[in-house]
């Protein structure tokens, strides 16, 4: 049996999907980044318990911002883990670095997926000129899964979780995206408003600290440094706490604004909108997915994918690169031996 793996380097956890030659799921698992950084768990121990790693044909992985590369690249050809810096990237735990090093040590054949940034020639040049960073590498992965799952060639994908990032896809290619630092709020991260800029200028907060408190956690008065931010916000809203309810409504508002903004610049007729991420697919205990769908179904069909889309999409990227020898993914060049 041959295996293909995908990795999604998320804000609070690192997720993995393992599929076989028939694209059937073998295993899906998540590793908490704090536990990884504290060496309470180890990727190399867990993966060896699940499969024979010698049978892994390829792992497609994401790491941090991915702004040091612009093509899908074999890990042994990548410098500095494919990033320019870890500064300004939200909460840094070191858990992702530990996994990266384990993968190198285990000699698992791997490619690194780039983020969406100003160095990516496949993006619409207006996005490259306007924003240094548009989205992390897992946005490529979940976009690929959405493309394969729905068949939509022209779509907007809203990934709503700790961050919110909306991705613009036209003719099956990623053309642009709006990251949390410039667009819609997530549970933890969000764009910097005037008060936060003033806090930065006065030395009360670093820019990264402000970014890490700019999501709806600030509205719900929830400490964004704790691990259960989303649960605490939802708990408040369920108990009719005014700040909790306002936080959820504000999240929905900002996501809808971002979707409509990208819709307004599309060159092609839109096929559909895809919601994903822990917030985007949430129907319980609060129907965030339904609240968003109600406002955007007037545009086109809305499709909801699970929060595991990034890891699954990465595994499909590995599969298609190694088995089907594709040389482009969503408009992104593939370097593969």
């Amino acid at each position: 049996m041959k295996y293909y793996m995908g990795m999604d380097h998320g804000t609070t956890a690192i997720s993995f999907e393992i599929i076989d030659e028939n694209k059937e799921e073998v295993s899906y698992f998540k590793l908490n980044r704090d536990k990884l950084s504290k060496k309470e768990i180890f990727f190399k121990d867990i993966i060896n318990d699940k499969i024979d790693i010698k049978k892994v044909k390829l792992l497609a992985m994401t790491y941090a911002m991915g702004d040091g590369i612009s093509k899908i690249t074999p890990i042994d050809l990548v410098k500095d883990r494919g990033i320019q810096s870890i500064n300004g990237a939200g909460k840094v735990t070191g858990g992702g670095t530990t996994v990266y090093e384990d993968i190198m040590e285990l000699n698992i054949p791997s490619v690194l997926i780039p983020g969406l940034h100003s160095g990516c020639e496949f993006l619409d040049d207006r996005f490259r000129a306007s924003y240094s960073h548009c989205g992390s590498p897992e946005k490529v992965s979940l976009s690929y899964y959405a493309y394969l799952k729905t068949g939509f060639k022209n779509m907007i994908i809203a990934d709503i979780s700790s961050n919110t990032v909306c991705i613009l896809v036209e003719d099956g290619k990623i053309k642009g995206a709006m990251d949390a630092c410039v667009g819609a709020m997530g549970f933890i991260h969000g764009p910097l408003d005037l008060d936060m800029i003033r806090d930065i200028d006065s030395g009360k907060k670093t820019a990264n600290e402000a970014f890490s408190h700019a999501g709806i956690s600030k509205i719900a008065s929830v400490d964004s440094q704790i691990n259960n931010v989303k649960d605490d916000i939802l708990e408040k809203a369920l108990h009719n706490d005014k700040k909790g309810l306002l936080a959820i409504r504000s999240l929905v508002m900002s996501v809808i604004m971002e979707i409509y903004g990208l819709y307004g610049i599309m060159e092609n007729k839109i096929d559909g909108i895809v919601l994903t991420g822990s917030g985007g697919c949430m129907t319980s205990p609060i129907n965030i997915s339904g609240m968003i769908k109600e406002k955007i179904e007037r545009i086109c069909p809305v499709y909801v994918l699970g929060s595991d889309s990034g890891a699954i999409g990465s595994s499909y990227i590995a599969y298609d690169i190694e088995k089907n020898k594709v040389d482009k993914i969503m408009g992104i060049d593939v370097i593969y031996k």
Side-chain angles (χ1 to χ4, degrees), residues 50 111 129 153 180 192 236 249 296 336:
K50 293 185 178 295
V111 291
K153 291 186 177 181
L192 306 187
K236 281 194 168 191
R249 289 172 49 224
I296 60 175
Y336 188 62

Side-chain angles (χ1 to χ4, degrees), residues 125-132:
D125 59 5
R126 293 170 295 178
F127 282 90
R128 298 176 64 200
S130 301
Y131 310 111
S132 61

Side-chain angles (χ1 to χ4, degrees), residues 40-275:
E40 295 175 2
I41 54 175
F42 297 91
F43 166 76
K44 55 188 174 183
D45 293 337
I46 293 169
I47 192 63
N48 276 315
D49 285 341
K50 293 185 178 295
I51 57 169
D52 180 354
I53 61 170
K54 293 179 181 179
K55 294 182 179 179
V56 176
K57 297 298 293 182
L58 189 64
L59 162 63
M61 58 185 292
T62 68
Y63 179 78
M65 296 296 101
D67 53 2
I69 57 174
S70 58
K71 299 177 181 180
I72 297 174
T73 308
I75 195 172
D76 57 330
L77 300 181
V78 173
K79 295 181 180 179
D80 300 322
R81 302 192 299 279
I83 58 172
Q84 294 185 25
S85 171
I86 61 172
N87 294 327
K91 184 180 179 181
V92 177
T93 65
T97 303
T98 300
V99 171
Y100 195 107
E101 292 171 349
D102 281 352
I103 290 168
M104 294 284 287
E105 183 183 329
L106 291 168
N107 290 316
I108 299 174
S110 304
V111 291
L112 197 64
I113 299 168
L116 307 173
H117 55 86
S118 58
C120 296
E121 294 183 359
F122 54 86
L123 294 178
D124 184 304
D125 59 5
R126 293 170 295 178
F127 282 90
R128 298 176 64 200
S130 301
Y131 310 111
S132 61
H133 175 77
C134 295
S136 299
E138 70 275 4
K139 310 313 174 193
V140 174
S141 303
L142 63 88
S143 296
Y144 193 54
Y145 181 50
Y147 173 71
L148 295 177
K149 187 76 172 178
T150 67
F152 298 157
K153 291 186 177 181
N154 301 289
M155 61 181 164
I156 296 165
I157 304 160
D159 179 29
I160 307 158
S161 189
S162 299
N163 300 328
T164 288
V165 179
C166 291
I167 307 107
L168 175 63
V169 176
E170 296 204 68
D171 297 319
K173 301 175 182 178
I174 296 174
K175 303 307 295 181
M178 296 292 290
D179 189 65
C181 56
V182 295
M185 291 184 287
F187 288 103
I188 295 175
H189 302 118
L192 306 187
D193 64 8
L194 181 59
D195 280 347
M196 290 188 172
I197 292 171
R198 287 170 172 161
D199 284 346
I200 294 165
D201 283 347
S202 66
K204 290 181 180 179
K205 293 179 181 178
T206 66
N208 196 30
E209 287 170 343
F211 172 57
S212 298
H213 290 81
I216 64 168
S217 59
K218 70 177 181 181
I219 300 170
S221 299
V222 168
D223 183 0
S224 66
Q225 294 304 301
I226 58 178
N227 289 326
N228 55 342
V229 173
K230 179 177 65 179
D231 291 341
D232 282 2
I233 294 172
L234 295 174
E235 184 71 16
K236 281 194 168 191
L238 285 170
H239 285 84
N240 293 318
D241 175 85
K242 289 184 178 180
K243 289 184 176 180
L245 290 169
L246 180 59
I248 297 297
R249 289 172 49 224
S250 299
L251 171 66
V252 170
M253 177 193 73
S254 67
V255 172
I256 292 169
M257 287 170 60
E258 190 159 296
I259 290 172
Y260 269 92
L262 291 175
Y263 172 69
I265 65 165
M266 288 189 75
E267 300 291 340
N268 300 334
K269 182 179 178 181
I270 191 167
D271 296 322
I273 291 168
V274 177
L275 304 179

Side-chain angles (χ1 to χ4, degrees), residues 30-32 35-36 38-43 46 98:
K30 297 175 72 170
L31 305 178
N32 180 277
K35 290 184 178 181
L36 284 165
K38 295 173 182 176
K39 301 192 183 303
E40 295 175 2
I41 54 175
F42 297 91
F43 166 76
I46 293 169
T98 300

